[in-house]
Amino acid sequence: MDLIFFKSAVVLYLISTLSFFIFLLSSSSLTCPTGLWTARLGFGCHSLSIIHRTFFSGFFPLATPFDALSMFAWLITCLFLLIQHRDSSPIFGAMATPMAAVLMIAGATLSYQLEGPIVPILHSWWLPIHVSFALAGNSVFAIMAICGLMYLYQERLIKRKRLGRIHKLLPSLETLDFINRRGLPIGFFLMTVGILSGALWAGSAWGFYWSWDPKETWSLITWFAYAVMIHQRLVLGWRGKRAAIMAIIGFALVMFTFIGVSLMFGGHHSFRNPTLRITGA
Amino acid sequence: MSSGLAVIGLNHKTAPVNVRERVTFPANNEGNLTRSILSLPGVLEAIIVSTCNRSEVIAQCDPVDKVVETILDTIAVIHGVDRQILGRHCYTWIGDDAVRHVFRVACSLDSMILGEPQILGQVKDSFRRDSAANTIGPTLSRLMHRAFFTAKRVRNETGIGVAAVSVAYAAVELAKKILGDLKDKSVLLIGAGEMAELTARHLIGQVMSPICVANRTFENACTLADEFGGEALRFERLSGALAKADIVISSTGACDAVIKATDVKNVMKTRKYRPMFLIDIAVPRDIEAQVNDIDGVYLYNIDDLQAVVSENLGERMNEALKAEEIVDDEVKKFMDWTKTLDLSPTIVALREKLETIRNGEISRMNGKLSKLDDGQREILEIITRSIINKIAHDPISFLKKTKSTSRREVNADIVQRVFNLHGFSNPRDELEENLENEADNRN
């Protein structure tokens, strides 16, 4: 019962995904608005779920992988709805809502223990700063990767001169490149703040700022990857296809750092560490 | 024979251009011709729609068959066309076929270019003109409003008008998909040619900066540039212009390539890899095909664009099928509405019969009722009226209950037979009787 909002949000996101896909495959005129409205409704339920979790844990609901992934999915949906508001392409929805649903389901399966008091170290103001900046950065990178995929597909259709239904539904190459262009510095800034605040938190909690924990190492690698991306874009003038590929590779690194590293290497960001159950960042 | 809707006319499918250009209902700006059609015996309402591909009279007539012939005769006389020739090229639609035809015309399903948007505006103009000329009554007014509504539904629910069906327009659409908003983009036109100029004209409306025109003969470039309000360019400075242009339309008579892949590759660096859309309209080709392999450069030649157009046309055909379903749906609704009008004679006859019985019974008992005072007489009236209203209520709701038109006719027949309504006239006869009475009175 306590997860009623969470569950209904997941179900609504899945319905939305299904509607968008049916819309893409057939041209049924009702499915597109259905997809959009279920996504909005799902977002509403999701927001209620986060509020509920706040009251439940008595602090920012970011301390478990369940909550962190839920917040991540919430941010992605939020960005999707914002972009949808300006440039309505149903394909965006067909990629954003399944992503949100998968992240939420992953969070629900990863985190068995939803109850219990928060470890004292997590009851700090650094938690919302560190985690929310890192997650916001990640969701900007997620949107960029979605745009990158759409760009590559649209570019391929135009180059091969196969202009069908999907071509018309996809945004223009310029729009997709524009979102990536704008997203890159924003995402990079958020990520930088996320990493720096993590270091400061570690400094205040444990006395050392950087401990070469696997998560920290991989975050740094990801950070460098995006730094290179900014360099290529600004200095070498990379754009379009190359920038799209970079956005996809970058996001793969982000996801590996966020989930893969925690599962594979352990460390103090691990999802499974019983004494210091800290979310990935 | 009864009254009904009829459409008499000809269009690009039924009549060759030499007939079409003679039957155009000229000088009908104030609906004078429509009024002369209306003045024909048996024409109750009329509207004339005339565009470059069609001329037709839509009329509510009584009786339909005979009046249609009269209208055809009149059209022949108005235009001085031989009646036989006209008869051969005209179509006549009656009843629900007429309704369907009007709806299909408004939805641009009957147009030469399927789904073109102008026709709806032309039909609306005709409607406005003839409304002002007072030739439109309730039936045609309803018909035309339903036609506009159907056209709106078709626009909203199908993609019939979405895809570009001309090469020039397809090129512009494609440019938008590659470059986004075209406002701040620049266009370079190389050479001249009808198709190239047409495409450039389509672009002028979208682009803010003046179009660059390059030609081997500088004077020709100047002439064309003047026409477009653009800038002329010497052919030697082409590579410099390539670095600035986002959209290039090429259409020279040159035998070998004017733009080579290496040229474009070099130019891309100075462009900072800003994407470029090249349209090659010339035959033989002006632009090397390998140009399309360069990252960020998109080359479409005339065949590619033609393929896009024919694909779009196919798409319109598919959408047209959906549109036809909508039209069928709306035709059915309209015919149902006309059927509810058909019910009213039965209802009127039923009420009349009951009223006759009531009046008959009261006058039969008049002697015995003479003792009643005015108040009591009034109560008697009220009681008897409410009795016949209550009796009439069930059969009337029985008549109105069903939506199926065939069922409705059966029901009307049942009510007529149960209450023996034959001899109780329908309103039209009544109207005629009144007219006759008036005529008698005058005598």
Side-chain angles (χ1 to χ4, degrees):
Chain A
M1 257 322 272
D2 58 329
L3 288 180
I4 181 88
F5 292 128
F6 182 84
K7 281 174 187 162
S8 29
V10 172
V11 170
L12 283 166
Y13 286 158
L14 288 175
I15 295 173
S16 166
T17 307
L18 193 69
S19 317
F20 279 129
F21 271 98
I22 292 173
F23 177 76
L24 293 188
L25 294 178
S26 68
S27 53
S28 160
S29 56
L30 260 179
T31 45
C32 187
T34 311
L36 191 55
W37 279 105
T38 41
R40 284 181 186 149
L41 212 61
F43 183 70
C45 285
H46 199 168
S47 311
L48 288 175
S49 158
I50 287 171
I51 293 169
H52 167 251
R53 293 289 297 168
T54 311
F55 281 108
F56 179 77
S57 63
F59 197 57
F60 292 94
L62 294 165
T64 63
F66 170 85
D67 288 317
L69 284 163
S70 168
M71 180 60 87
F72 188 14
W74 186 84
L75 285 165
I76 289 175
T77 320
C78 183
L79 282 176
F80 150 62
L81 288 174
L82 282 177
I83 294 175
Q84 179 77 32
H85 191 68
R86 300 188 75 187
D87 185 311
S88 51
S89 170
I91 297 185
F92 221 106
M95 298 185 81
T97 49
M99 204 172 204
V102 165
L103 285 171
M104 288 167 84
I105 291 169
T109 42
L110 271 177
S111 166
Y112 301 105
Q113 200 187 345
L114 297 173
E115 294 156 36
I118 299 180
V119 191
I121 188 173
L122 290 178
H123 206 101
S124 150
W125 281 95
W126 285 111
L127 173 79
I129 296 170
H130 170 60
V131 179
S132 55
F133 271 97
L135 285 180
N138 286 359
S139 28
V140 172
F141 293 145
I143 294 290
M144 280 169 61
I146 291 177
C147 285
L149 281 174
M150 282 164 50
Y151 186 98
L152 290 184
Y153 193 60
Q154 174 75 300
E155 212 246 13
R156 206 175 126 99
L157 290 175
I158 294 176
K159 279 270 189 197
R160 303 224 167 159
K161 295 162 186 174
R162 299 233 170 92
L163 312 179
R165 229 179 90 70
I166 303 289
H167 159 79
K168 292 194 183 76
L169 291 175
L170 279 165
S172 70
L173 292 177
E174 167 58 25
T175 309
L176 293 169
D177 196 49
F178 174 81
I179 296 175
N180 265 3
R181 199 157 60 227
R182 280 291 155 88
L184 188 53
I186 298 173
F188 188 71
F189 168 77
L190 293 169
M191 188 194 197
T192 311
V193 174
I195 292 176
L196 284 178
S197 59
L200 290 174
W201 185 9
S204 74
W206 296 316
F208 46 83
Y209 293 100
W210 197 265
S211 55
W212 295 107
D213 167 86
K215 176 81 90 182
E216 291 171 6
T217 315
W218 279 97
S219 299
L220 202 62
I221 293 171
T222 314
W223 186 85
F224 271 114
Y226 278 98
V228 168
M229 233 180 265
I230 286 188
H231 174 264
Q232 302 300 85
R233 256 223 194 255
L234 293 185
V235 182
L236 297 185
W238 279 23
R239 57 195 294 148
K241 201 170 161 185
R242 290 178 191 181
I245 295 172
M246 287 194 303
I248 295 165
I249 295 174
F251 185 63
L253 265 175
V254 165
M255 283 315 282
F256 179 72
T257 311
F258 184 42
I259 296 176
V261 171
S262 302
L263 292 180
M264 283 160 68
F265 300 117
H268 62 239
H269 276 93
S270 170
F271 289 163
R272 294 215 180 103
N273 191 332
T275 51
L276 264 179
R277 207 177 55 241
I278 305 179
T279 170
Chain B
M1 256 181 258
S2 62
S3 67
L5 275 167
V7 175
I8 305 107
L10 42 79
N11 65 12
H12 55 281
K13 287 175 195 155
T14 66
V17 71
N18 61 342
V19 178
R20 238 158 51 218
E21 69 191 1
R22 288 175 67 188
V23 182
T24 54
F25 296 97
N28 193 21
N29 290 338
E30 279 157 21
N32 297 334
L33 287 177
T34 323
R35 241 175 293 170
S36 66
I37 297 278
L38 186 71
S39 66
L40 298 173
V43 179
L44 307 174
E45 304 173 32
I47 175 169
I48 293 178
V49 175
S50 178
T51 71
C52 45
N53 284 327
R54 73 178 61 250
S55 289
E56 48 195 39
V57 175
I58 308 162
Q60 169 79 356
C61 333
D62 183 30
V64 175
D65 307 25
K66 225 197 273 168
V67 175
V68 163
E69 292 300 315
T70 331
I71 292 176
L72 268 172
D73 294 342
T74 316
I75 295 173
V77 172
I78 289 174
H79 299 98
V81 184
D82 184 68
R83 174 67 178 74
Q84 296 285 311
I85 295 176
L86 188 69
R88 224 179 296 144
H89 294 296
C90 269
Y91 46 79
T92 310
W93 301 107
I94 288 167
D96 53 353
D97 288 334
V99 176
R100 177 168 295 106
H101 179 80
V102 172
F103 286 8
R104 290 186 77 244
V105 168
C107 299
S108 193
L109 291 170
D110 199 46
S111 301
M112 192 186 258
I113 298 164
L114 190 65
E116 54 92 9
Q118 283 91 345
I119 184 70
L120 181 61
Q122 290 163 332
V123 175
K124 278 185 179 166
D125 287 344
S126 309
F127 175 68
R128 233 169 267 138
R129 180 199 62 214
D130 290 342
S131 286
N134 273 331
T135 65
I136 295 174
T139 312
L140 278 192
S141 171
R142 171 114 182 162
L143 176 76
M144 298 318 282
H145 280 116
R146 293 314 291 179
F148 303 149
F149 176 77
T150 310
K152 195 174 156 196
R153 261 193 79 187
V154 165
R155 286 274 137 196
N156 291 343
E157 294 174 28
T158 74
I160 193 158
V162 173
V165 287
S166 76
V167 166
Y169 191 52
V172 175
E173 288 293 292
L174 200 53
K176 281 188 197 159
K177 276 292 182 193
I178 295 168
L179 304 168
D181 193 2
L182 298 182
K183 224 182 277 167
D184 55 343
K185 302 296 182 289
S186 50
V187 179
L188 169 65
L189 176 64
I190 307 170
E194 199 187 337
M195 191 68 83
E197 284 173 35
L198 195 64
T199 312
R201 264 178 224 288
H202 270 79
L203 283 166
I204 286 175
Q206 317 262 348
V207 180
M208 298 277 274
S209 56
I211 286 183
C212 265
V213 184
N215 201 310
R216 282 208 200 276
T217 328
F218 186 64
E219 285 72 38
N220 291 353
C222 290
T223 331
L224 202 55
D226 280 348
E227 219 176 289
F228 288 143
E231 292 164 6
L233 193 80
R234 288 193 185 277
F235 210 73
E236 299 76 47
R237 290 170 59 195
L238 199 62
S239 56
L242 273 182
K244 281 185 217 140
D246 301 298
I247 303 170
V248 180
I249 307 165
S250 184
S251 165
T252 72
C255 292
D256 50 339
V258 175
I259 299 176
K260 294 196 174 61
T262 44
D263 300 339
V264 179
K265 214 171 231 166
N266 294 336
V267 149
M268 281 313 273
K269 252 175 243 160
T270 43
R271 289 177 61 80
K272 290 194 177 151
Y273 304 101
R274 268 184 297 124
M276 206 174 178
F277 179 36
L278 300 139
I279 307 162
D280 187 356
I281 293 177
V283 179
R285 306 265 170 268
D286 275 347
I287 305 175
E288 276 185 355
Q290 290 90 321
V291 166
N292 194 42
D293 299 334
I294 301 168
D295 197 17
V297 183
Y298 307 88
L299 169 66
Y300 272 66
N301 62 39
I302 185 76
D303 290 349
D304 300 332
L305 289 172
Q306 214 90 54
V308 171
V309 166
S310 59
E311 192 190 303
N312 286 352
L313 268 179
E315 206 172 288
R316 279 200 182 191
M317 302 276 191
N318 284 337
E319 295 299 311
L321 294 179
K322 278 195 229 164
E324 297 281 3
E325 277 170 29
I326 293 174
V327 167
D328 282 346
D329 185 36
E330 291 296 331
V331 169
K332 209 180 141 291
K333 279 190 208 161
F334 185 82
M335 293 318 285
D336 283 350
W337 175 76
T338 55
K339 287 280 156 52
T340 59
L341 293 182
D342 289 352
L343 273 183
S344 42
T346 312
I347 294 169
V348 169
L350 176 67
R351 285 190 188 284
E352 244 165 57
K353 167 133 193 182
L354 293 175
E355 182 67 20
T356 322
I357 294 171
R358 191 182 73 89
N359 283 334
E361 290 306 299
I362 288 178
S363 56
R364 210 158 62 85
M365 292 294 162
N366 226 356
K368 287 180 185 169
L369 296 174
S370 55
K371 287 172 210 145
L372 299 181
D373 60 33
D374 282 356
Q376 286 166 322
R377 193 166 264 282
E378 201 174 304
I379 289 168
L380 182 73
E381 288 282 318
I382 291 171
I383 290 170
T384 49
R385 273 220 186 92
S386 94
I387 288 172
I388 67 161
N389 279 343
K390 292 230 160 96
I391 294 172
H393 178 263
D394 283 329
I396 288 173
S397 51
F398 168 72
L399 281 175
K400 285 182 173 169
K401 193 172 58 190
T402 175
K403 283 233 157 67
S404 137
T405 51
S406 57
R407 188 76 218 149
R408 187 178 278 157
E409 277 165 25
V410 173
N411 288 356
D413 188 49
I414 291 172
V415 170
Q416 281 173 13
R417 282 196 291 171
V418 167
F419 287 91
N420 191 20
L421 296 180
H422 279 289
F424 281 86
S425 51
N426 67 39
R428 184 168 294 286
D429 297 340
E430 198 182 293
L431 197 72
E432 275 161 19
E433 269 168 33
N434 287 344
L435 287 175
E436 275 165 25
N437 289 345
E438 269 175 36
D440 288 345
N441 291 344
R442 255 178 247 144
N443 290 339

